[in-house]
Amino acid sequence: MLTSLLPGRRRKRERIAATRAFVDAMNARNHADARPMMARDFTFVDAGGTSVKGRDEVLASDSAFRDANANAQVRILTIDAHDESVLVRGYLESRMAELAGETLWRVEFEDRKISSIHVTRAGYAVTLPKFAGLGPA
């Protein structure tokens, strides 16, 4: 019985570790390390349905987003594996009021790669997809 639970627990720990490593790489603007963690058809979507699709498009949008706002940083407060997803509660640290504040992520996986991130922010807070929709990355 216990041995049947171990692969699931290990997979959850691996996904939590992968999510932390991804956030760390993106915060460091180390896209060379983040890229192999992402599925080719990676999608970043916000609660309003606005999305950025494709690994390279997301990385380009992230670079432009951080250039435009003094390198805002995602800070993780809590992280937990739930079913096949990783749930993250955190905040975006920025000097810009439009960006700073709480953020919730649901991170989805395809095998060992992150396939999508669904982000929810309160009110009119800017998300990466919303920023990317304002113009070319």
Side-chain angles (χ1 to χ4, degrees), residues 1-10:
M1 167 82 172
L2 183 59
T3 56
S4 67
L5 296 175
L6 293 179
R9 291 182 62 122
R10 184 175 338 118

Side-chain angles (χ1 to χ4, degrees), residues 1-2 8 12 40 47 54 66 70 81 91 97 104 107 113 115 123 127 136:
M1 167 82 172
L2 183 59
K12 287 180 179 185
R40 181 177 307 252
R66 291 173 193 272
Y91 63 96
L104 301 170
V107 182
K113 295 190 182 257
S115 60
T127 63

